[in-house]
Amino acid sequence: MNQNKITKTLIRFFLIAVGVEIIAISINLFAAPHKIALGGVSGVSVLLDAVFSIPTYATVLVLNLLMLVLSYLFLGKKTTINIALGSLMLPIGLALTPEIMLVKDPFVSVIASGAIFGVGLALLYRCNASSGGTAVPPMIVKKYFRIKEPITLLVIDLVVTFFNIFVTGFESFVVATIALVISSAVIDYIETGLDRKKVLYIMSTEKENEIRKAILAYGTTTTIFDVTGGHSGDENRMIMVVIESNDYFALLSILEDIDPKAFVLVYNASEVHGGFSLKD
């Protein structure tokens, strides 16, 4: 193993540890003190702790070990290795992180827990890792029944949060469900990229050169390619522009000043890798 690979492995290990600890903080400092389950194995552990005083880390360890066995049997060695590290580190993180009620308001605390949990889980996903637990059944269901993982995971999480009704009341179930939505939104936003940009496709029959020069002066990443009208069959050229989201309206204003009739198609891009600027 060369030095570069060792460095990457150590960085991945560190990021997984950070992600696991973020999840442990979201549980022990925000959700568990109020005895409200947000779904998944961690939610089950909170409920068992509230009813039977079983430590959360013990429940998570047992259930994650069970999920690793199921993963090995149904998903194979490679998948099991990918999720094993996070699965085994989470109980350690829960055991080392003290359970402290930082926020007294249950609603605010659980909402914060959902957002923080989402950050930790998204970080694990970016490292091609997992905290284990209920991430395994959806993968098994997808493999054998072709049902998308998010659907199965949502069903499992809702079942777990439903049991809040019998432990801490209906309001806890509602709050936990809201926190689940927030957690999913945070995961989606981070997983699909924080470096979000706008992609503009611009076509002008009369002012193409002026628009191109304006874009060059603006210093954005651009590409120009030939297009053919589907109805008219006319040949034309289209400019593709990649810009920062906060620069979108400024550039759009410039385009409207040059050619108000220009065709502009806009997409959201979650990430952009490589490329070059015509200004360079």
Side-chain angles (χ1 to χ4, degrees), residues 12-241:
R12 180 174 181 268
F13 180 86
F14 173 75
L15 292 177
I16 291 174
V18 171
V20 166
E21 182 55 27
I22 290 173
I23 291 174
I25 289 172
S26 75
I27 297 168
N28 281 4
L29 273 62
F30 294 93
H34 294 283
K35 308 303 180 185
I36 298 178
L38 301 186
V41 163
S42 61
V44 174
S45 71
V46 170
L47 292 174
L48 291 180
D49 181 28
V51 178
F52 301 108
S53 298
I54 301 174
T56 55
Y57 68 86
T59 301
V60 171
L61 176 61
V62 172
L63 292 180
N64 274 2
L65 287 175
L66 175 61
M67 290 300 110
L68 286 176
V69 172
L70 292 177
S71 175
Y72 185 81
L73 293 175
F74 294 100
L75 300 174
K77 182 178 178 180
K78 184 177 180 180
T79 300
T80 305
I81 291 174
N82 284 338
I83 67 175
L85 186 58
S87 298
L88 298 176
M89 288 178 70
L90 181 56
I92 297 174
L94 290 170
L96 296 177
T97 305
E99 186 175 314
I100 302 172
M101 186 181 293
L102 291 183
V103 181
K104 292 184 178 180
D105 188 311
F107 180 81
V108 176
S109 186
V110 174
I111 294 302
S113 177
I116 296 170
F117 187 94
V119 172
L121 199 56
L123 183 57
L124 292 182
Y125 288 164
R126 298 282 286 189
C127 297
N128 191 29
S130 168
S131 60
T134 52
V136 174
M139 289 190 285
I140 297 175
V141 171
K142 180 182 178 181
K143 179 179 179 180
Y144 291 98
F145 301 100
R146 304 299 181 184
I147 299 175
K148 294 182 178 180
E149 292 177 35
I151 296 175
T152 307
L153 186 60
L154 177 61
V155 171
I156 294 173
D157 285 341
L158 287 176
V159 169
V160 174
T161 56
F162 177 76
F163 281 94
N164 281 302
I165 296 175
F166 306 104
V167 178
T168 51
F170 183 76
E171 288 185 0
S172 296
F173 166 68
V174 175
V175 172
T177 303
I178 295 173
L180 274 179
V181 174
I182 293 175
S183 180
S184 298
V186 170
I187 292 171
D188 179 68
Y189 189 84
I190 296 177
E191 191 178 11
T192 56
L194 294 174
D195 187 25
R196 294 173 181 258
K197 291 179 170 58
K198 294 284 187 181
V199 180
L200 283 69
Y201 291 91
I202 307 161
M203 187 168 61
S204 173
T205 56
E206 300 177 355
K207 302 290 184 68
E208 180 204 323
N209 289 331
E210 292 181 47
I211 290 176
R212 186 176 64 84
K213 290 177 181 178
I215 293 172
L216 282 170
Y218 208 77
T220 59
T221 302
T222 61
T223 301
I224 300 175
F225 49 91
D226 296 326
V227 295
T228 303
H231 178 70
S232 64
D234 294 338
E235 301 291 334
N236 212 322
R237 300 214 303 173
M238 182 172 286
I239 304 170
M240 184 184 74
V241 188

Side-chain angles (χ1 to χ4, degrees), residues 249-267:
F249 288 105
L251 182 57
L252 188 63
S253 178
I254 293 173
L255 297 176
E256 290 176 347
D257 289 340
I258 296 174
D259 185 2
K261 297 181 180 179
F263 171 81
V264 181
L265 180 63
V266 184
Y267 286 97

